[in-house]
Amino acid sequence: MNRDHADVIIIGGGIIGCAIAYNLAKRDIKPLLIDKASTVGTEASWAGAGILTSHASTHEPYPTLCRASLERYPALAEELRAETQIDIEFIQSGTLSVFFHQAETAGLIGLADRRVKRGFSAEVLTPEQAWQLEPALSKSIIGAVLFPEDAQVRNPKMVTALAKGAAKLGAKFRLGN
């Protein structure tokens, strides 16, 4: 691919743009990624928390897409590590949402119910059960909900790995212009 030719042009070098470039390059489609920054992942992708969750508050197909996405992360983390030697620090540790007041209880338990109805796991916990999982929690909580399928990655490492993998597979980058 010369400088003026690409099969696909991607505007934006954040995590989504780099993921698109990586997946296109894996399919022998030659992308050109263009970003005004001098390096990839400098804005929201750098600052993002890397939380991988689905509150599954809507109807199909959103929960199905969320579940499929979460299921692909372990393999993607290993693939990127093998391809780029970058560990994106994928951890499926779950999330623990606590409530301090009775008014918060209905909302979180409702969220847990919706997630279970849409094929995810959720467990309503007593304060004692929550403290067993996380002893540093405030003694003022009145309960919690555990969402065990939730996970996290280190966004800066993930965007870097996606860009490096895409470049190794032939993607071109025009940055800082």
Side-chain angles (χ1 to χ4, degrees), residues 26 33 65 155:
K26 283 185 359 182
L33 186 144
L65 293 172
N155 274 13

Side-chain angles (χ1 to χ4, degrees), residues 69-162:
S69 177
L70 285 169
E71 288 171 356
R72 292 178 51 111
Y73 266 91
L76 177 61
E78 286 306 313
E79 179 182 314
L80 289 171
R81 184 191 326 255
E83 182 76 31
T84 68
Q85 288 68 55
I86 297 172
D87 178 5
I88 65 171
E89 299 180 29
F90 172 80
I91 301 169
Q92 193 155 20
S93 57
T95 57
L96 187 62
S97 296
V98 299
F99 39 94
F100 292 88
H101 307 287
Q102 198 60 40
E104 298 169 317
T105 305
L108 278 171
I109 291 175
L111 175 59
D113 289 342
R114 287 189 303 278
R115 283 189 63 159
V116 168
K117 287 177 186 170
R118 289 178 173 89
F120 289 91
S121 299
E123 184 180 349
V124 178
L125 304 176
T126 65
E128 293 77 18
Q129 291 169 317
W131 294 322
Q132 232 175 2
L133 287 175
E134 182 49 68
L137 283 175
S138 168
K139 298 303 178 198
S140 299
I141 67 168
I142 63 169
V145 178
L146 174 64
F147 300 105
E149 294 155 323
D150 292 352
Q152 64 185 27
V153 296
R154 277 287 291 139
N155 274 13
K157 288 186 173 189
M158 183 158 177
V159 74
T160 301
L162 288 166

Side-chain angles (χ1 to χ4, degrees), residues 5-25:
H5 174 78
D7 296 326
V8 175
I9 295 173
I10 302 162
I11 306 297
I15 201 162
I16 293 172
C18 289
I20 292 168
Y22 178 68
N23 282 289
L24 289 173

Side-chain angles (χ1 to χ4, degrees), residues 25-86:
K26 283 185 359 182
R27 291 164 179 76
D28 291 324
I29 299 169
K30 301 300 179 197
L32 170 63
L33 186 144
I34 301 169
D35 197 294
K36 64 183 178 184
S38 60
T39 187
V40 296
T42 59
E43 296 190 23
S45 296
W46 182 263
I51 297 169
L52 307 173
T53 185
S54 166
H55 287 182
S57 295
T58 63
H59 296 289
E60 300 291 337
Y62 178 73
T64 302
L65 293 172
C66 289
R67 191 174 317 103
S69 177
L70 285 169
E71 288 171 356
R72 292 178 51 111
Y73 266 91
L76 177 61
E78 286 306 313
E79 179 182 314
L80 289 171
R81 184 191 326 255
E83 182 76 31
T84 68
Q85 288 68 55
I86 297 172

